[in-house]
Amino acid sequence: MASDEERRAREALRKAARFGDDIDLEAYSEGSRELAPVGSLEELPEDTKTTLLDTGIVPSGKGRAGNFLLMDNSVVHSAVMGEGVELMPLSQALKVHDWLKDYVWKAVRPDTDKYTAETYLENADGYFIRALPGAKVRMPVQTCLLLKDRNTKQYVHNVLIAEEGSELEVVTGCTTSKGVEKGLHLGISEFFLRKSSKLTFTMIHNWSEVIGVRPRTDVVMDEGATYVNNYVALKPVRSIQTYPTAHMNGPDGVCRFNSVAVAHPGSVLDLGSRAILNAPGCRAELISRTITTGGTVIARGQLVGNSAGIKAHLECKGLILSEKGVQIAIPELEARVPDVEMTHEAAVGKIAQDQVEYLMSRGLNEEDAVGMIVRGFLDVGIRGIPEHLKAEIDRTLQETDVRRG
Amino acid sequence: MLEIENLTVEVAGKEILHNVSLSVKSGYTTVLFGPNGSGKSTLLMTIMGFSGYKVRSGRILLNGEDITHLPVNERAKRGIGMMMQRPPNITGVRLKDLVRVASKGKVDIAKIAEELDMTNFLERDVNVGFSGGEIKRSEILQLTAQNPCLLLLDEPESGVDMVSIEKLGAKVRELLQGPSHCAGWRERSGKAALIITHTGQILDYVEADRGYVMCNGTVACSGNPRELLAEIRKMGYQECIRCKLNQPNLVVENVASEG
Ligand SMILES: Nc1ncnc2c1ncn2[C@@H]1O[C@H](COP(=O)(O)OP(=O)(O)O)[C@@H](O)[C@H]1O
Ligand SMILES: [Mg+2]
């Protein structure tokens, strides 16, 4: 007999998402669940390893507490190297931990839209990560989501639990193998941060011009928890729509979302972040820096203040470097009690000519001056990023074509 | 080295400079006096080539070459370097990175930063949250890295406290004279400067050879900088204006005879 949840998911199978182009799910073939396991990330083809490096994933696993690789719809590698942390496919974790069923599909609702509904009904696999109570996991866990087949629809369902007093860092790199002609990534992530835990989560998107991306992320935070979300998307992609949300349910929680993105010609990026401050003393800061060199960026942000004594700030800044580019900033503040301090700052426009000429007066040519200003602009959005990822991202930034069109 | 010939300049649709002529000789330091709003900054910004400063007529010559319509970086390449009165903030760009590109890797950044008490600012975003005096020191730091042949300094002393002004003045002097204190060396080195000063304070630190007084977008007078300063201190700029109105021909001759 179908559960109530399942029935609602079925009903939602045609439900368009609130934001983003409606993607035809029938137009993709389901990615394989039968790919052969790989012994280590080093066994991957050289060009794949190179794109992994761009997304902050170290193929050798050196300096990492765990490795996880989902290729199309197959978990082909999962290994724990560090202490204090569990990492395994979600399907396996559900067998190991009886209690886990109380977490799955509790943060993200299966009937949110057609993408969550289909992912639910397909019983998608993904990673299960758990930082044990009190564990300060020294090295980051790295997870990689790879699209490999020519025409692939990837479903992912991730669950992460940071137990009371734990500290954990996770790096997720998303990328596409050479030769993929058409791809869709549907990724459900449910994070649970128990009392006084701390999670730093960095996601680097490095898909390609032919990929549609619809991640759905909800983060549930208990008292005193700290969540830092870094999101980096500097490479071309067809379409991304995402709106990760932190539900700050316990007092004195802290969350920060830092996002940087470049919309290349042909890319449509609909990127949001949301913090719902439900308990006293919670603080949130949502910062986004986006540029367009010809694509479209919609930078959304929402703060919802439901409790007295909260403090939150939202900042979306966008640069337009091309006549064809479009920047839309949509910051929203919603206060439901009087004693809140919520602010926002939004600005879109072209690069300031006085800044360009100031650098030119120091001898830089116009192109280098623009490059320096644009990289600086984006740099503000990634200052919270873990040190070990900085070099890779800086390199990608250096290579990013930011000439004014 | 620098010749300004009958320069008329428009800013935001309004004529600000009217038929300005002056010259800065190679190896010489020239100061520009004038009341607030007289067009001193406009002149320097125009020489550096910032857009928004539209030359309606006249020419700017650098070592005989007409640079009136060259882009800013081409002027920098030819040896002009400027300290702006109000440089823009550049969020996300660290001062040390700008100093590095300005120097083309040729100078010891840590050392010059130390000399200007700017070590702690190298990691900061360019000009963001800098006080008035800190901006001046940051500009001098960048100029030292750049090492131009013609320095354009817009009120180097304003907003700078007494302790810093010593260091700043010493650095400006060093930029102009190199390690030597001899006027002959300065002349031979060919370094020149055009320095705007409202108060004349900078004259305690650098040796100036010539002075101009600007009023209402024109050159009202020129002469020995110390004498001009003494006169301005005693009588105020009002007197310069009155003087010019009474003896227009004298000033024209004065400028013409410099060529
Ligand atoms: N961007 C601008 N738009 C309008 N007026 C300007 C602008 N810049 C300067 N001005 C005007 O030009 C005149 C000269 O200014 P400025 O060159 O800064 O004088 P100074 O440096 O001698 O104090 C002033 O009246 C000033 O208001
Ligand atoms: Mg001025």
Side-chain angles (χ1 to χ4, degrees), chain B residues 228-243:
Chain B
L228 285 173
L229 181 63
E231 202 62 25
I232 291 161
R233 281 190 173 148
K234 206 165 77 199
M235 318 283 286
Y237 285 113
Q238 218 40 50
E239 179 59 21
C240 299
I241 297 169
R242 200 188 56 76
C243 167

Side-chain angles (χ1 to χ4, degrees), chain B residues 36-37 39-42 85-86 154-155 196:
Chain B
N36 274 327
K40 305 182 297 294
S41 294
T42 301
Q85 190 172 19
R86 280 182 221 91
D154 197 341
E155 300 199 19
I196 294 178

Side-chain angles (χ1 to χ4, degrees), chain A residues 357-358 361-362 364 383, chain B residues 51 73 82 125 139 142 146:
Chain A
E357 288 178 356
Y358 180 56
S361 79
R362 299 289 177 236
L364 282 78
R383 287 215 168 144
Chain B
S51 60
N73 59 315
M82 174 160 179
D125 288 358
E139 293 280 289
Q142 294 173 47
Q146 203 178 342

Side-chain angles (χ1 to χ4, degrees), chain A residues 16-31:
Chain A
R18 188 152 165 232
F19 302 118
D21 289 344
D22 194 32
I23 295 176
D24 179 8
L25 295 172
E26 311 288 306
Y28 299 84
S29 0
E30 192 186 327

Side-chain angles (χ1 to χ4, degrees), chain A residues 229-232 257-261 271-273 287-290 381:
Chain A
N229 183 99
N230 298 303
Y231 176 70
V232 179
F257 285 79
N258 305 304
S259 312
V260 299
L271 309 173
S273 42
I287 307 276
S288 96
R289 290 284 185 279
T290 53

